Amino acid sequence: GINAEYGEDTIRCVLSTLLTSTELGRELGKSALFQGTTDSDLETEGWEDWRPPTRDLPPDNNPSSKSGEIVSTLCSIYGSADLFIKEYRNLVADKILSNSDYDIATEMRGLEMLKVAFGEDLGQCQIMLQDVVDSRRTHSNIMAQVASPAPFDLTVLIISHVFWPNLRKEDMTVSRPLQQFLEGDYRKVFSQLKRSRDLEWKYNLGFVDLELEFEGGRTASFTVSPLQATIISLMEDRERCHAETISAEVGIPLVLARKKLSFWVTNGVLRETSKDMFEVRELDGGPTRDRVTEDMDSAMVKIEQIRQEELESYTNFVMGLINQSGQITVERVHKLLSMLIDDSVAGLLTEDEVKAFLDKKVKQKLLCYSSGVYKKNKT
């Protein structure tokens, strides 16, 4: 086994590379369970009914052995099959949310290959892929029935949130015409089609393809987050705008507004004329630039953030324990919280995570630490 700790971003990069590599696909594809499968099996239409053909082969002649070694290595890197499956779900979710033309058939083939090794534990991923198919159909039906047209070309992904990883939620305001359309006509038709369900909009997720037009007929193409698209849209009818105005109108912290505005400065769309004051910078002459794609954050809530929120919710419980006994150790807190915290999302609770949580309470002056025990801070 591999006895090493990897950062979440490093592991995600490893998994993404392996699952999209020709070598892994070739080795998994050698499995006896998949021999005889042709490209015709991979059509999107009817993919949900597809099942890999079975073959009985002697163990010594089974060509899936090398793929089994690869899967075993992946599990060694992650520490367990459960963690591997969680990260695979996150990766699939990110790929779906960053591509409106997501290739369901290809992803389904890869999923069926992995299910040979991991079984029905990957069932939630299959539901996620089914959501994409159902969403495309539902969205088409809604757009055919809305009373007024959308303000621009629009694709909506409707998911069953129970079966998806935790998605980031950031408060922000989108353009008024878009919000009125989604909260009005779109929601009304959806409620008529799905009477027992409602929509909760994640305005911060997804992406926007933009074509910016400048004086003189010059254009620039961008693929950016909805937040970036909303920010640059505020400059459409203004000569200049202050970062504080952007912050207030979009509903985001000033520091985040500055960070997002710097993207447009770096790409020559805006210039900062004075402290926090921005104006449109007309593009110079020359050939039209290639499309610029923003390096967007993952749609998933990071595991570390989930665990921190879980532990924070038990602050009063831990303080109550200390009030009763006068002091407590990391080991004691870890044992008790491990029985209370659900490990299906962020994995098994570790003593290091508990110690980091208690140390944070020391910095907040709620606790004090001495000789291996934590006590209530009485100062």
Side-chain angles (χ1 to χ4, degrees):
I2 299 175
N3 297 317
E5 293 186 359
Y6 297 84
E8 184 181 346
D9 292 338
T10 302
I11 288 179
R12 169 167 285 222
C13 182
V14 170
L15 178 59
S16 178
T17 302
L18 285 171
L19 291 182
T20 56
S21 71
T22 304
E23 176 64 19
L24 182 61
R26 184 161 52 240
E27 292 303 332
L28 287 174
K30 288 178 182 177
S31 170
L33 295 175
F34 292 95
Q35 290 190 356
T37 303
T38 64
D39 290 341
S40 63
D41 297 319
L42 303 180
E43 297 297 327
T44 303
E45 194 68 30
W47 65 265
E48 63 271 23
D49 298 322
W50 179 81
R51 293 292 181 274
T54 59
R55 301 281 183 85
D56 294 324
L57 289 179
D60 292 343
N61 296 325
N62 190 340
S64 66
S65 58
K66 188 169 182 181
S67 63
E69 293 175 5
I70 294 175
V71 170
S72 176
T73 300
L74 288 174
C75 292
S76 295
I77 292 174
Y78 276 80
S80 71
D82 287 343
L83 291 178
F84 173 86
I85 291 170
K86 288 187 180 72
E87 192 53 48
Y88 177 72
R89 285 178 61 220
N90 288 344
L91 190 65
V92 170
D94 260 340
K95 288 164 69 177
I96 292 173
L97 293 170
S98 62
N99 186 356
S100 60
D101 298 321
Y102 188 70
D103 187 348
I104 294 295
T106 299
E107 192 65 50
M108 193 61 199
R109 180 181 175 86
L111 176 59
E112 289 295 344
M113 289 179 178
L114 287 173
K115 282 173 69 175
V116 173
F118 295 101
E120 294 305 317
D121 289 338
L122 287 166
Q124 287 185 324
C125 292
Q126 191 160 356
I127 295 175
M128 290 162 60
L129 296 179
Q130 182 63 51
D131 273 349
V132 178
V133 176
D134 293 344
S135 177
R136 289 172 179 172
R137 185 184 306 115
T138 301
H139 176 68
S140 296
N141 290 339
I142 292 174
M143 296 302 286
Q145 297 181 45
V146 291
S148 56
F152 40 73
D153 289 340
L154 178 69
T155 300
V156 174
L157 176 63
I158 303 169
I159 67 172
S160 309
H161 72 93
V162 173
F163 300 101
W164 282 62
N166 290 280
L167 302 179
R168 283 191 300 111
K169 182 174 176 60
E170 298 172 358
D171 292 332
M172 59 167 285
T173 301
V174 294
S175 65
R176 185 176 296 276
L178 175 60
Q179 186 170 12
Q180 288 177 339
F181 175 77
L182 293 176
E183 298 288 358
D185 285 350
Y186 198 98
R187 184 187 293 275
K188 179 180 178 181
V189 176
F190 176 84
S191 297
Q192 293 169 351
L193 294 175
K194 309 284 186 179
R195 295 188 180 276
S196 61
R197 303 173 67 185
D198 193 16
L199 294 173
E200 178 184 342
W201 296 105
K202 299 274 189 178
Y203 288 126
N204 58 302
L205 301 181
F207 61 94
V208 182
D209 289 329
L210 291 177
E211 297 291 332
L212 303 182
E213 297 182 1
F214 297 81
E215 291 183 4
R218 295 274 297 143
T219 63
S221 301
F222 293 88
T223 298
V224 297
S225 65
L227 177 55
Q228 286 288 25
T230 301
I231 288 174
I232 200 62
S233 70
L234 296 178
M235 303 295 297
E236 187 173 6
D237 299 319
R238 295 170 172 168
E239 292 185 2
R240 59 185 60 84
C241 189
H242 198 277
E244 289 185 352
T245 303
I246 298 288
S247 171
E249 293 193 16
V250 183
I252 59 175
L254 178 58
V255 64
L256 180 58
R258 288 176 179 143
K259 177 182 178 182
K260 296 302 180 182
L261 285 163
S262 68
F263 169 84
W264 297 111
V265 173
T266 300
N267 286 284
V269 176
L270 300 179
R271 65 160 60 95
E272 188 172 9
T273 56
S274 60
K275 175 65 174 176
D276 285 345
M277 182 63 73
F278 297 84
E279 67 177 19
V280 176
R281 176 182 178 183
E282 297 300 334
L283 291 178
D284 301 329
T288 302
R289 301 178 182 178
D290 293 334
R291 175 175 293 275
V292 175
T293 301
E294 178 189 4
D295 184 14
M296 289 174 267
D297 295 333
S298 168
M300 305 305 109
V301 178
K302 287 186 175 292
I303 296 297
E304 292 91 339
Q305 181 180 343
I306 296 174
R307 178 48 41 85
Q308 289 172 7
E309 291 174 355
E310 286 177 330
L311 288 171
E312 284 296 334
S313 69
Y314 285 97
T315 297
N316 290 338
F317 173 76
V318 172
M319 296 302 294
L321 291 175
I322 296 176
N323 285 336
Q324 289 180 359
S325 60
Q327 63 184 35
I328 204 163
T329 63
V330 170
E331 294 76 15
R332 174 67 174 160
V333 176
H334 174 256
K335 182 178 180 180
L336 293 172
L337 292 185
S338 292
M339 294 186 289
L340 299 173
I341 291 180
D342 180 9
D343 62 8
S344 63
V345 177
L348 293 173
L349 181 67
T350 67
E351 288 190 5
D352 286 342
E353 290 172 332
V354 172
K355 187 176 188 310
F357 166 69
L358 294 174
D359 288 344
K360 182 179 178 181
K361 298 307 165 188
V362 172
K363 291 181 180 179
Q364 295 173 343
K365 300 188 183 305
L366 294 175
L367 301 176
C368 59
Y369 177 78
S370 177
S371 302
V373 297
Y374 292 85
K375 301 178 181 179
K376 189 172 182 180
N377 190 354
K378 298 180 181 179
T379 58

